[in-house]
Amino acid sequence: MNDVFSMPIAQDPAPDPVSAIETGDTLMAATNQHPLPIKKLSIIIPAYNEEKTIALILDRINQVKLIRNIEKEVIIVNDCSTDNTELAIQSYISNATDLSINFFKYIKHDVNQGKGAAIHTGIAQATGDYLLVQDADLEYDPGEYNTLIKPIILGSADVVYGSRFMGGNPHRILFFWHSIGNKFLTFLSNMFTNLNLTDMETGYKMFRTELIQGISLKEKRFGFEPEVTAKMAAVPGVRIYEVGISYYGRTFAEGKKISWRDGFRAIYCILKYGSFNISISANKRVKATV
């Protein structure tokens, strides 16, 4: 069981869980619709032992004014933290003034399940037209939400990735081998998805909510990134864009959690879910020749 707390800033019931499907006519119809105006953005925050930064990131989100008066729905999923993350969240909710966050939901997992699982929980609760994942640390800047939104409001994109390797935005200089690993994983992922992403592992991914709620996601840890990329790439007609973002990376001493083991899991996920993409493409070619 998970505990769910909604702050009564506004009335907006959570949707019933969407039937999980891999790909098909429902998703195709969704991508072929005329672009919908964005009225609400759901911001999912998976949090595990982030007592030092959770209030700071909430404050930065609160300070962001989205273009076209888009409303903000914040969904915090506490993945059974063992520190004072919950207390920090409750204190922020109780004491914050001048909130620009229109809807607030807090969910707590009874057992630690992993970042991917926390994201799954947040996706199921999202009621915005689009959603994105915001890490609870300070590595990604909420001030760049409007940069991610721009291709969407222009009617060009269903999915937008924020790339740490594009543009002239500031980047903290850290971990040479991590950067090589990220580029290798992106290259390998692109081979299977036939995309030309520069940063598959980015933490900033914005999705049309109905699309991602219609995809069955399995990975409970950091395998979420290659899995969602592979499965989104398989959606017929999906329009994926990439924009440059800044990156304020942190060290392991500062709380960074990803390890080399997660890198090997990412390779496994790319091969596993990339093979799914190849089989879908093969089936299309077979049908086209019949």
Side-chain angles (χ1 to χ4, degrees):
M1 297 291 292
N2 298 325
D3 297 327
V4 181
F5 166 77
S6 296
M7 184 174 180
I9 298 175
Q11 303 256 336
D12 203 339
D16 293 330
V18 177
S19 299
I21 56 176
E22 297 288 352
T23 180
D25 294 339
T26 302
L27 293 182
M28 183 181 291
T31 59
N32 289 335
Q33 289 177 358
H34 188 275
L36 298 173
I38 310 176
K39 297 181 179 179
K40 186 197 303 183
L41 175 68
S42 296
I43 302 160
I44 299 169
I45 307 177
Y48 177 67
N49 289 350
E50 299 288 2
E51 63 176 339
K52 295 179 180 178
T53 59
I54 188 69
L56 293 173
I57 201 66
L58 288 172
D59 218 31
R60 292 186 185 183
I61 293 170
N62 189 53
Q63 291 169 14
V64 173
K65 179 174 176 57
L66 297 179
I67 52 180
R68 300 197 176 183
N69 295 316
I70 297 170
E71 295 179 324
K72 290 177 287 188
E73 174 183 62
V74 171
I75 304 169
I76 306 173
V77 184
N78 181 359
D79 194 29
C80 196
S81 296
T82 57
D83 65 355
N84 290 319
T85 294
E86 181 170 45
L87 180 63
I89 294 168
Q90 292 174 339
S91 177
Y92 183 87
I93 293 173
S94 299
N95 299 320
T97 58
D98 299 322
L99 273 177
S100 69
I101 298 170
N102 307 90
F103 309 90
F104 216 130
K105 296 176 184 175
Y106 172 66
I107 304 160
K108 182 180 179 182
H109 285 172
D110 292 335
V111 295
N112 180 258
Q113 300 177 49
K115 179 181 177 180
I119 294 172
H120 299 170
T121 297
I123 290 171
Q125 289 286 326
T127 63
D129 305 294
Y130 281 77
L131 64 82
L132 66 78
V133 178
Q134 170 70 62
D135 288 346
D137 55 33
L138 305 177
E139 291 191 330
Y140 294 89
D141 179 15
E144 295 176 331
Y145 288 171
N146 287 325
T147 301
L148 293 159
I149 290 171
K150 186 176 179 180
I152 294 170
I153 64 172
L154 291 176
S156 300
D158 304 296
V159 179
V160 180
Y161 279 40
S163 172
R164 296 165 289 179
F165 305 120
M166 288 176 59
N169 297 310
H171 298 77
R172 184 176 180 181
I173 304 303
L174 284 173
F175 304 133
F176 169 78
W177 289 110
H178 275 207
S179 66
I180 295 298
N182 281 337
K183 290 176 181 178
F184 170 74
L185 293 174
T186 297
F187 173 78
L188 189 63
S189 173
N190 286 345
M191 287 178 61
F192 285 93
T193 60
N194 197 30
L195 301 175
N196 62 343
L197 293 169
T198 65
D199 191 6
M200 179 273 295
E201 289 283 347
T202 179
Y204 265 178
K205 295 178 172 71
M206 187 175 290
F207 304 97
R208 183 179 290 185
T209 302
E210 63 181 342
L211 283 183
I212 196 164
Q213 286 182 338
I215 291 175
S216 176
L217 296 169
K218 309 294 185 184
E219 295 299 316
K220 295 185 179 296
R221 286 182 52 80
F222 293 100
F224 169 82
E225 313 296 354
E227 180 192 11
V228 75
T229 301
K231 291 184 175 180
M232 196 59 67
V235 175
V238 70
R239 301 166 302 167
I240 302 175
Y241 272 64
E242 199 174 39
V243 297
I245 59 168
S246 55
Y247 182 61
Y248 301 88
R250 59 180 180 171
T251 65
F252 290 101
E254 293 167 334
K256 194 172 187 67
K257 298 180 178 69
I258 196 167
S259 71
W260 61 268
R261 294 182 181 85
D262 297 301
F264 281 108
R265 179 68 186 184
I267 294 173
Y268 168 80
C269 291
I270 290 170
L271 298 176
K272 177 181 178 181
Y273 300 111
S275 298
F276 165 80
N277 273 28
I278 290 174
S279 66
I280 291 292
S281 297
N283 287 338
K284 288 180 181 176
R285 287 195 297 270
V286 169
K287 290 177 181 178
T289 58
V290 172

